[in-house]
Amino acid sequence: MTHALGFTEKDLRRLAGARSFERGLGYLSAVSRLEIGDEAISATVDGTDTYEVQLTEDEDSGLTGWCDCPYGREGNFCKHCVAVGLTVLRQAESVPQQRSAAVSRTRLLDGWLESLTREELLALVREQLADDRDLRRRMELRAAAVGEDTGIVRERILSLLDTRPFARYGYVEYADAHAYGRQAAEAVTALRALTASSRSADAVEVAREAFQALGRTYGEIDDSDGLIGEVATGLAEAHLEACLAARPDPVETAEWLVRCLLDEVNDMADIDLFDYREVLGDPGLARARTLVVAAWRANPKGWAEKHLMERFLKTEGESVDALVEVHAADLAPNGHTHLVIATELEAAGRTGEALQWAERGLQETVSEWGPHDDLVAFLCERYERAHRLADVVAARRNLLRARPSLAAYRHLRTAARAAGTWEGAERADALQVLRAVAQPKNGRGCYGSVLVDALMDDNDLRAAWQAATDGHADQRQWLALADRIRDPQPADALNVYLRWIEPLRKQTGATTYERLAELLLSARACHHALGSEAEFATYLAALRTDQKRKRKLMAILDQHGL
């Protein structure tokens, strides 16, 4: 079914960002070999090098773009994608016809292939196999999978998982990961073919080797899109399918699984030992439990060991005390493990012990960043239920001191107001904490201080202005303050707007121009409140004269009536 374009120039700007979009405008004449299919659009763009671009439309995810330029390899919608998208938009009226033609070509090809005799098809396939080495290797693998020689299958599968042909610098970069992933996926297909051809016992052994081989190199692949992780999951699923068909020795299988689960290679595919319950039976599960308990006792702080112990205890319905023992063997310095224990105890109806563990978490916190937020929230919620408001305030106060933030300030304010202690020493002490950690800014810093945000959140604009004047505000905070005081103090707000207009005069780009127009509108509102519209008109005329070469800026100012 053919369809018109599902994206606009606005979509291209949103995906690429203003900078890449503007640069893409300069590459319209560099687009060649444009091919519009039913769902995908491909083209070549000549830049520093010749780059391949593909745009894909999907009803759920919308427009996506892929390019093999360095910036595109990082997963960005680059200027080359923009150029191809704009080129297509400029011939939008002919897109339905082009897509209809693509569908017709596909149907014509299918019809021609169906008309060929067996001998003609074989000749065509052999011709392609002679010209395409990768295709030949894949076909050889499929042939071996239904044949008798498992050695050939093993060799081919391991070669499909070999990263060396794709690792130009000893590492499979993003641009090459897709091609490697497509090749590696053939290994999963071959393993399933082995199982389907009644050679599941062979598939079990080959799947183990394949999984381990991929695990050894997984850390050397840029798997930003998760394609290789999907291959690893496929290998694990193929192994389970083979085990269910072959029913290998349960004890030996349990030993292999536990070794694998304790190894870092399992990070690439989340194998669950209990998915193998039917394969392992009671003997295999018993052996697995023995190995897991021994591993945990030898290394109680190991993440994999703890996770496996927890899975066994929960799956087999062990007592909560056994779970507490596992977690208590490795307590996090920020109290998060105490919270896990408290949650388990509370779920078991042991609320008193749960509260004790949570309070221990606060007392035993040794992290320089203070206790975990969720631990504090857990305790405060239970203090509130018990009407222990002073304890809620104390917990929130300590968290603000340990990790000052606007959120912590707000929580303390809410708790202290509920306790009736905010408007006095509590607020003054909280602001003093924020003042102590506020670092003076030069007016153009990247980050402002929590102090200014907290004062604005309190609607104490006079104090916030003073803190900003003392050097505790960044650009965002200055402009937010200016917006808040514009009506009562237009002259002060105007000075802020003008200060931040100046650096924008030296910058380019659609986003900058929109921001400049926004600030000019705010400045105009201040002049209107001051009754000095003529002064603003003079200022704006001078700015337009100075910036007249920026035609895009002039157009945006016109759009805003400036």
Side-chain angles (χ1 to χ4, degrees):
M1 177 179 178
T2 60
H3 55 279
L5 291 172
F7 65 91
T8 65
E9 184 172 317
K10 184 177 180 181
D11 293 320
L12 297 176
R13 183 185 295 274
R14 174 180 55 80
L15 289 167
R19 188 177 182 84
S20 288
F21 182 84
E22 294 295 331
R23 289 183 171 183
L25 293 171
Y27 281 84
L28 294 177
S29 61
V31 176
S32 62
R33 296 173 59 194
L34 179 67
E35 184 173 332
I36 300 177
D38 188 30
E39 294 182 355
I41 299 165
S42 60
T44 298
V45 181
D46 292 322
T48 307
D49 203 339
T50 299
Y51 301 115
E52 298 297 325
V53 174
Q54 180 168 306
L55 303 182
T56 305
E57 294 181 76
D58 184 88
E59 290 184 3
D60 297 323
S61 57
L63 178 69
T64 57
W66 180 86
C67 178
D68 61 355
C69 73
Y71 189 59
R73 291 174 189 172
E74 296 174 2
N76 299 296
F77 197 93
C78 66
K79 59 190 177 185
H80 307 113
C81 292
V82 170
V84 173
L86 290 173
T87 300
V88 175
L89 287 173
R90 280 156 174 71
Q91 50 184 276
E93 292 183 359
S94 66
V95 166
Q97 291 81 5
Q98 293 185 63
R99 285 184 163 158
S100 178
V103 172
S104 298
R105 289 194 299 271
T106 299
R107 289 174 179 167
L108 180 64
L109 177 60
D110 287 343
W112 174 67
L113 289 172
E114 290 173 359
S115 71
L116 297 178
T117 64
R118 180 177 182 275
E119 289 71 20
E120 289 171 332
L121 277 173
L122 285 173
L124 179 63
V125 170
R126 287 174 179 137
E127 179 184 336
Q128 295 301 312
L129 292 176
D131 293 338
D132 190 329
R133 185 179 63 178
D134 290 337
L135 177 62
R136 182 180 184 85
R137 290 174 63 186
R138 292 197 296 272
M139 292 299 100
E140 287 174 344
L141 176 58
R142 295 196 182 189
V146 297
E148 299 295 330
D149 193 339
T150 303
I152 294 178
V153 179
R154 175 186 174 279
E155 176 191 347
R156 287 290 184 263
I157 285 177
L158 294 181
S159 68
L160 287 171
L161 298 173
D162 186 358
T163 58
R164 286 176 294 181
F166 300 87
R168 289 178 287 180
Y169 308 104
Y171 178 82
V172 181
E173 298 181 330
Y174 179 83
D176 301 309
H178 280 250
Y180 173 71
R182 287 193 297 271
Q183 174 179 296
E186 287 288 327
V188 179
T189 302
L191 282 170
R192 286 181 165 145
L194 267 182
T195 300
S197 62
S198 302
R199 296 159 67 193
S200 53
D202 293 335
V204 170
E205 296 304 319
V206 177
R208 289 186 185 183
E209 284 194 72
F211 192 77
Q212 298 285 12
L214 182 59
R216 285 191 294 270
T217 58
Y218 183 67
E220 301 168 3
I221 305 170
D222 183 347
D223 192 27
S224 299
D225 290 343
L227 296 176
I228 317 305
E230 291 178 7
V231 171
T233 299
L235 289 174
E237 291 172 349
H239 176 260
L240 175 57
E241 291 167 8
C243 286
L244 288 168
R247 298 304 171 116
D249 179 81
V251 172
E252 191 276 334
T253 301
E255 292 172 350
W256 182 85
L257 282 170
V258 172
R259 284 198 304 273
C260 185
L261 289 167
L262 292 175
D263 196 329
E264 291 182 358
V265 301
N266 187 48
D267 292 343
M268 65 181 179
D270 191 16
I271 295 176
D272 189 341
L273 185 144
F274 288 93
D275 287 341
Y276 288 78
R277 185 189 294 273
E278 184 180 340
V279 175
L280 299 176
D282 291 339
L285 287 172
R287 178 56 177 162
R289 182 187 175 101
T290 299
L291 293 172
V292 168
V293 170
W296 173 71
R297 295 205 179 280
N299 184 23
K301 296 182 182 295
W303 182 90
E305 290 81 355
K306 286 175 59 178
H307 175 70
L308 280 174
M309 274 296 294
E310 185 177 354
R311 286 286 290 126
F312 260 106
L313 295 174
K314 287 189 173 182
T315 303
E316 297 183 352
E318 293 283 346
S319 69
V320 69
D321 292 309
L323 277 173
V324 169
E325 180 188 2
V326 171
H327 292 300
D330 181 31
L331 295 172
N334 65 353
H336 184 261
T337 317
H338 295 77
L339 172 62
V340 173
I341 293 172
T343 303
E344 294 287 353
L345 287 167
E346 189 172 72
R350 294 158 62 173
T351 55
E353 293 174 75
L355 186 61
Q356 290 174 5
W357 266 100
E359 290 176 329
R360 273 187 59 183
L362 283 188
Q363 297 163 4
E364 297 176 3
T365 292
V366 294
S367 169
E368 62 176 318
W369 299 106
H372 196 281
D373 285 338
D374 292 342
L375 173 63
V376 176
F378 178 93
L379 265 174
C380 288
E381 183 179 341
R382 281 132 191 91
Y383 285 154
E384 287 170 2
R385 292 178 194 168
H387 304 289
R388 296 171 56 180
L389 300 185
D391 289 328
V392 177
V393 172
R396 291 300 183 186
R397 181 193 305 127
N398 290 334
L399 183 58
L400 177 69
R401 290 174 177 172
R403 192 162 61 252
S405 68
L406 180 59
Y409 182 83
R410 286 170 170 168
H411 282 305
L412 174 57
R413 182 178 63 197
T414 299
R417 280 178 174 167
T421 61
W422 178 246
E423 301 299 340
E426 193 69 63
R427 178 175 185 265
D429 290 346
L431 290 174
Q432 185 54 41
V433 169
L434 300 184
R435 192 170 284 108
V437 298
Q439 296 296 320
K441 308 293 175 184
N442 61 9
R444 301 182 190 276
C446 294
Y447 305 101
S449 67
V450 178
L451 174 64
V452 175
D453 284 334
L455 289 169
M456 283 197 290
D457 204 60
D458 281 342
N459 205 34
D460 191 349
L461 301 182
R462 178 172 297 184
W465 184 267
Q466 185 59 54
T469 303
D470 291 341
H472 297 306
D474 62 5
Q475 178 185 6
R476 174 189 62 81
Q477 292 171 322
W478 270 115
L479 292 174
L481 263 174
D483 291 341
R484 298 277 292 275
I485 68 168
R486 191 165 66 194
D487 292 337
Q489 298 170 243
D492 289 332
L494 176 60
N495 287 332
V496 174
Y497 295 136
L498 294 178
R499 184 197 316 167
W500 294 108
I501 284 173
E502 287 308 306
L504 296 181
R505 297 170 69 142
K506 301 177 182 179
Q507 301 176 26
T508 59
T511 301
T512 297
Y513 299 154
E514 289 288 352
R515 185 63 177 142
L516 181 57
E518 180 183 335
L519 291 173
L520 286 169
L521 289 171
S522 297
R524 184 173 69 180
C526 292
H527 276 290
H528 178 73
L530 293 167
S532 53
E533 290 92 339
E535 182 179 337
F536 176 75
T538 301
Y539 174 83
L540 180 61
L543 183 144
R544 290 185 68 107
T545 299
D546 178 62
Q547 303 284 304
K548 63 183 179 181
R549 294 179 181 275
K550 299 175 181 177
R551 290 178 292 177
K552 183 68 173 178
L553 172 60
M554 296 298 105
I556 289 175
L557 294 181
D558 289 340
Q559 291 171 8
H560 288 282
L562 290 165

